[in-house]
Amino acid sequence: MTATLTIPIKSSPFPFAALGISAHIGNVSLVFDETALGIVLTLNGSMITEEGEIVQALAKEGGLAGDSAKTPSFFTLATSLRSITAHAELVAALNSLDNLLAFRTFLVGHSITSADWIVWGTLKGNIKVLGLLKNNQHPHLLRWFTYIDNLKETQSALAELAAAKASKARSNKTAAGFALGLQDAVDGQVVTRFPPEPSGYLHIGHTKAAILNQYFAKMYHGKLIIRFDDTNPTKERTEFEDTILEDLRLLDIHGDVVTHTSDHFQTLYDLAVKLIKSGKAYTDDTLQEQMRDERMKGIASKHRDDSVEENLKHFEAMKAGTEEGLRWCLRAKMSVDDPNKALRDPVIYRCNTLPHHRTGDKWKVYPTYDFACPVVDSIEGVTHALRTNEYRDRNPQYQWMITALGLRKVNIWDFSRLNFIYTLLSKRKLHNFVNEGHVRGWDDPRFPTVRGIRRRGMTVEALTQFMLAQGPSQSVVSMEWDSIWSQNKKIIDPIAPRHWSILTKNSVPVIIKGGPASPEIKAVPKHKKNAEIGEKKTVYSSSILVEQEDAQSFEDQEEVTLMDWGNAIVRSKTVDASGVVAGIEMELNLEGDFRKTKKKITWLSQHTSANPLARVTLLDYDYLITKKKLEEDDNVADFITPVTEFREEAVADANVKDLKKGEIIQFERKGYYIYDGEVDGVREFILIPDGRAASVASKAALNATPAATTGTTAPAPAVEAPISKMYAIDSIYGKEAKYDAGTTMYKMQSIYDS
């Protein structure tokens, strides 16, 4: 069979069925072409352009077609599912599939067929369906869908698609350079490892390595080792091991086994002695600065040719932690002047007399990462060591250790380190921010730690999809935050319940003529496009509250729409001397057409003892630093953002009282929020960036008047300005500038003229 499948990256709906089955049967060349006008399968000299026919043709070639008379009905179902928009019809279709799969593994027969691929592909490309499946109302359908979705070949094809999309999106050529796969990987035998040092909390930079390691372990039905690289007693503590494991659980990453480098201290020591005896390592007491200078200049140490006996004696003194031993270190005898300076006799053992958090006072010498990592990787059965490409110069060093000691080979697969603008990932600098009180702890929403970004509302799904989309990119760049938050929005939008809140400051009381004589409570959907989310109780009364900003915009006798109620006409508006709207009277006009009103506003019935509102605080944050990328010689203190937390007091509908900490909602017309818990009777909600420019821009860079105290809201400007949530900027033309030109267009009054 000679087959090539060409798919436009921006196909809509995307032909997931064709993509999946082509990967499943193999021997199909896959081409993602942004210039292609449509999907095309070239098969044995013929061309096919319709997805259903492509799936049938590939199934026939791959022996998957099946002989059931029911198969055509599933192709018909797939076609109809693409056109269904009504929620009830979509749920009915899913219910039917769920019932069918209650006692069946596949749709037709006892193995996967074209029917499975065409239906899976259609569901995969329907965002509404994916949202409904997340609600666990269709367990049999979800089981079947997840099985196909997690097939190794399916994941490989989806990863290629993600890499292709990333390549299209990044014009600066930071996209992946090859398909997401591992060299010499054997299904069922792949072993990866994630080796954090227990000296701090995991941050977003670590997540890429952790996610990729688990991804490949699952992709090849292998094993993931979580190994703590605990070779430096100065910085490491048991509590950090516990927090790292918690962070991994937050990322839904679960190792098959947890190990420690310290489990192998005796073996590592014995192998170091072996290197000395074979003449491949020597002890050195050269001062650190002098050693660094000699390595840079390619000068051999005066101890490089010491005898084996002398080296063993000094290494024994190091192990005992004697005064003499503390002067020495052990160096691998690789090269004096290799162009790759990482190979110039690196230090592989050094003394440290502090007690180790696991082994106590047993050891006074500890291996360096460069020695311990390849040795333990080989001993523990790791087949593929995933490393950021900042280690690339040290990869030959890694292989030298394995060869010199006669250990089993380990493949290295490297990828670029992940950096973000306005973001610090240095553990030392993050420690300083905590110690100096710029943040409240390691889980502060302003922090790039796993705990911080999860508390800010980042989902595991968004993190995983974003990291896999980066693929094996080799370019080290500082990325914008917009892409990952946009990905997050796509995941939370279909399932986030909708609620309302009104800012307490200058909220406007409204009298509704024609409203109910006494408050009425009705049930309305929490999500208009996803009834599976459930219902909420909405209180209707003749006394409501609206936002000051909305009230300012109302014209006299204007008809507006009160969301989830109907239209109302603004009959009168009371404005105080300062221009603040103090009260409004409206008249209900429920026969009015909401499609003809320009303004659809949120509102809340006024607080009463019988129908109380919930007191809430809406929190937003800025970046901790004001410079996109700090240089080596920059003083961090010079770039600390003066104001990084912004609080607004508000009231919300009483339904939010039922929320559990960590649940995500949308306050309509305000944004997505994550419930962060209750403080002194007030529920706090953190704004989740949605990827739009305004939500990820540096507020400090936009604000010309920085405040003086971190953690407080910036003071209001002294000059009068129109009431708006937008930041103020000076006119680029000046206050008095006028521009007149001859034109045939009709004239309009400026919207800024009062």
Side-chain angles (χ1 to χ4, degrees):
M1 179 182 71
T2 303
T4 300
L5 181 64
T6 302
I7 303 178
I9 295 176
K10 293 185 178 180
S11 293
S12 182
F14 192 85
F16 284 108
L19 174 66
I21 195 171
S22 66
H24 182 72
I25 67 173
N27 300 323
V28 179
S29 298
L30 190 60
V31 177
F32 293 107
D33 185 355
E34 62 186 86
T35 64
L37 298 179
I39 182 173
V40 177
L41 174 67
T42 304
L43 178 64
N44 299 329
S46 63
M47 296 179 63
I48 307 174
T49 58
E50 196 276 320
E51 186 184 17
E53 295 178 8
I54 289 173
V55 171
Q56 289 174 322
L58 290 176
K60 183 177 180 181
E61 289 290 333
L64 305 180
D67 57 1
S68 172
K70 296 181 180 179
T71 298
S73 66
F74 289 107
F75 279 78
T76 302
L77 172 64
T79 301
S80 64
L81 278 171
R82 293 192 183 101
S83 60
I84 294 177
T85 56
H87 179 79
E89 291 182 52
L90 192 59
V91 171
L94 297 185
N95 288 342
S96 177
L97 284 169
D98 190 64
N99 291 335
L100 175 67
L101 289 164
F103 301 102
R104 303 178 67 89
T105 303
F106 300 102
L107 296 176
V108 175
H110 301 290
S111 61
I112 196 166
T113 66
S114 58
D116 296 289
W117 284 113
I118 194 66
V119 175
W120 170 84
T122 302
L123 300 183
K124 181 73 174 177
N126 190 318
I127 188 66
K128 291 183 179 178
V129 168
L130 297 180
L132 290 172
L133 289 179
K134 285 181 178 292
N135 293 324
N136 295 319
Q137 299 300 309
H138 303 89
H140 310 299
L141 178 59
L142 180 61
R143 177 259 307 158
W144 168 87
F145 180 87
T146 303
Y147 170 78
I148 298 177
D149 207 52
N150 286 338
L151 288 172
K152 181 180 73 173
E153 55 269 30
T154 307
Q155 286 294 304
S156 180
L158 293 175
E160 285 189 54
L161 171 61
K165 287 183 176 180
S167 179
K168 174 67 175 66
R170 293 192 291 266
S171 59
N172 58 353
K173 298 181 182 179
T174 61
F178 47 93
L180 204 58
L182 295 178
Q183 177 186 2
D184 300 329
V186 178
D187 191 56
Q189 297 180 24
V190 167
V191 179
T192 62
R193 89 293 193 258
F194 177 61
E197 181 184 25
S199 60
Y201 293 73
L202 295 186
H203 56 60
I204 193 167
H206 297 118
T207 61
K208 184 175 183 180
I211 287 170
L212 285 174
N213 273 287
Q214 176 163 277
Y215 170 79
F216 284 124
K218 287 187 173 181
M219 175 178 174
Y220 291 103
H221 306 98
K223 184 171 75 171
L224 169 64
I225 297 172
I226 306 297
R227 182 201 306 145
F228 288 107
D229 178 46
D230 54 345
T231 59
N232 186 354
T234 303
K235 297 190 295 182
E236 297 154 2
R237 298 201 298 272
T238 301
E239 68 180 80
F240 285 129
E241 292 189 10
D242 297 335
T243 57
I244 286 172
L245 291 174
E246 289 175 14
D247 288 344
L248 290 173
R249 283 192 288 270
L250 286 174
L251 293 172
D252 199 23
I253 291 174
H254 308 277
D256 295 282
V257 63
V258 176
T259 68
H260 297 76
T261 300
S262 56
D263 297 337
H264 308 281
F265 276 171
Q266 185 62 56
T267 301
L268 287 161
Y269 178 82
D270 293 341
L271 290 173
V273 171
K274 179 179 178 180
L275 280 181
I276 295 173
K277 289 181 177 179
S278 64
K280 295 175 181 177
Y282 63 94
T283 51
D284 194 358
D285 67 348
T286 304
L287 295 176
Q288 187 179 51
E289 288 298 324
Q290 181 182 342
M291 185 186 298
R292 184 181 294 116
D293 185 62
E294 288 177 351
R295 291 188 72 206
M296 292 299 293
K297 295 177 180 178
I299 300 172
S301 166
K302 61 185 178 182
H303 294 291
R304 196 170 197 270
D305 295 321
D306 284 357
S307 67
V308 170
E309 291 72 24
E310 282 292 309
N311 290 323
L312 288 173
K313 182 181 72 172
H314 293 144
F315 195 45
E316 182 62 31
M318 288 174 60
K319 180 186 178 185
T322 65
E323 185 175 347
E324 172 64 17
L326 296 178
R327 294 177 42 237
W328 296 81
C329 67
L330 184 67
R331 298 175 66 178
K333 200 173 185 179
M334 293 185 186
S335 173
V336 172
D337 54 1
D338 193 287
N340 181 353
K341 293 183 174 63
L343 297 179
R344 295 185 180 181
D345 292 3
V347 174
I348 61 173
Y349 255 92
R350 74 279 194 235
C351 290
N352 192 328
T353 58
L354 292 176
H356 189 277
H357 67 281
R358 294 188 75 238
T359 60
D361 296 323
K362 180 178 179 180
W363 294 96
K364 301 294 188 296
V365 286
Y366 294 93
T368 62
Y369 178 82
D370 290 332
F371 179 66
C373 182
V375 170
V376 179
D377 280 350
S378 185
I379 291 172
E380 291 190 338
V382 172
T383 60
H384 294 80
L386 277 59
R387 292 152 62 102
T388 55
N389 55 18
E390 64 187 307
Y391 287 101
R392 182 166 291 172
D393 286 347
R394 290 151 76 179
N395 287 349
Q397 183 189 95
Y398 181 104
Q399 300 298 358
W400 185 95
M401 301 290 183
I402 287 177
T403 302
L405 292 167
L407 299 174
R408 182 187 55 83
K409 177 189 173 184
V410 179
N411 288 298
I412 294 177
W413 190 92
D414 58 11
F415 55 91
S416 63
R417 176 174 172 165
L418 197 62
N419 296 308
F420 285 90
I421 61 170
Y422 298 116
T423 304
L424 294 172
L425 297 180
S426 161
K427 286 184 182 178
R428 178 178 57 82
K429 292 173 181 176
L430 294 177
H431 268 287
N432 289 341
F433 269 82
V434 174
N435 295 337
E436 294 171 10
H438 297 297
V439 295
R440 296 187 180 91
W442 289 91
D443 65 344
D444 194 289
R446 292 162 286 196
F447 245 24
T449 54
V450 169
R451 292 166 181 239
I453 58 176
R454 291 281 285 129
R455 188 177 171 194
R456 188 83 180 266
M458 180 67 69
T459 62
V460 171
E461 295 91 337
L463 275 170
T464 301
Q465 291 176 21
F466 181 81
M467 298 305 173
L468 293 179
Q470 307 310 305
S473 168
Q474 299 297 309
S475 300
V476 181
V477 294
S478 292
M479 304 189 71
E480 302 277 351
W481 281 93
D482 56 350
S483 296
I484 192 168
W485 285 118
S486 293
Q487 185 68 44
N488 194 61
K489 177 188 173 183
K490 292 177 184 177
I491 290 167
I492 64 177
D493 179 72
I495 56 175
R498 272 45 174 175
H499 294 274
W500 293 345
S501 67
I502 301 292
L503 297 180
T504 303
K505 184 178 180 181
N506 293 330
S507 60
V508 182
V510 179
I511 301 300
I512 302 292
K513 294 182 178 179
S518 59
E520 299 176 1
I521 300 176
K522 297 180 181 178
V524 298
K526 289 182 178 178
H527 195 307
K528 295 180 180 65
K529 297 181 180 179
N530 188 353
E532 299 289 330
I533 301 300
E535 294 182 332
K536 62 181 179 181
K537 296 177 181 178
T538 298
V539 180
Y540 297 82
S541 73
S542 296
S543 300
I544 66 173
L545 296 173
V546 300
E547 296 274 9
Q548 178 69 212
E549 189 171 0
D550 287 333
Q552 289 275 351
S553 72
F554 295 157
E555 302 290 339
D556 188 39
Q557 306 306 311
E558 180 180 8
E559 188 167 0
V560 300
T561 298
L562 302 174
M563 292 171 61
D564 286 351
W565 195 347
N567 287 5
I569 301 170
V570 178
R571 293 306 188 191
S572 66
K573 184 165 68 172
T574 303
V575 181
D576 66 19
S578 63
V580 174
V581 178
I584 291 176
E585 285 192 2
M586 290 185 179
E587 184 176 351
L588 274 184
N589 180 28
L590 299 182
E591 292 75 29
D593 188 348
F594 72 90
R595 291 171 294 185
K596 295 182 179 180
T597 60
K598 294 181 180 179
K599 297 163 188 171
K600 279 77 175 172
I601 67 165
T602 49
W603 54 275
L604 290 172
S605 286
Q606 290 200 40
H607 179 93
T608 64
S609 57
N611 298 295
L613 296 174
R615 293 170 57 206
V616 300
T617 298
L618 307 181
L619 291 150
D620 192 12
Y621 295 97
D622 198 0
Y623 301 109
L624 290 169
I625 55 175
T626 59
K627 189 175 181 180
K628 284 190 174 182
K629 183 178 183 296
L630 291 181
E631 305 300 333
E632 286 294 327
D633 55 350
D634 282 339
N635 182 4
V636 177
D638 295 335
F639 299 97
I640 295 177
T641 308
V643 180
T644 55
E645 183 179 84
F646 304 86
R647 291 174 168 265
E648 290 185 299
E649 303 305 318
V651 288
D653 60 84
N655 299 281
V656 302
K657 295 179 179 179
D658 298 328
L659 295 173
K660 297 181 178 65
K661 185 174 181 178
E663 290 189 335
I664 290 174
I665 66 167
Q666 183 189 59
F667 279 131
E668 293 194 87
R669 301 179 67 226
K670 281 186 169 62
Y672 302 93
Y673 287 81
I674 182 169
Y675 177 44
D676 195 49
E678 188 174 332
V679 178
D680 297 329
V682 180
R683 290 167 173 81
E684 296 195 338
F685 291 85
I686 296 172
L687 179 67
I688 304 172
D690 59 13
R692 292 183 297 177
S695 75
V696 294
S698 167
K699 299 173 180 61
L702 299 172
N703 189 350
T705 310
T709 307
T710 300
T712 60
T713 306
V719 296
E720 288 189 12
I723 295 176
S724 171
K725 293 179 181 177
M726 292 295 289
Y727 53 86
I729 61 173
D730 295 329
S731 169
I732 61 174
Y733 302 113
K735 293 182 179 179
E736 304 300 327
K738 299 289 183 183
Y739 179 74
D740 296 310
T743 177
T744 57
M745 293 291 290
Y746 56 85
K747 293 185 178 180
M748 293 181 60
Q749 182 180 2
S750 170
I751 61 173
Y752 301 109
D753 292 341
S754 55

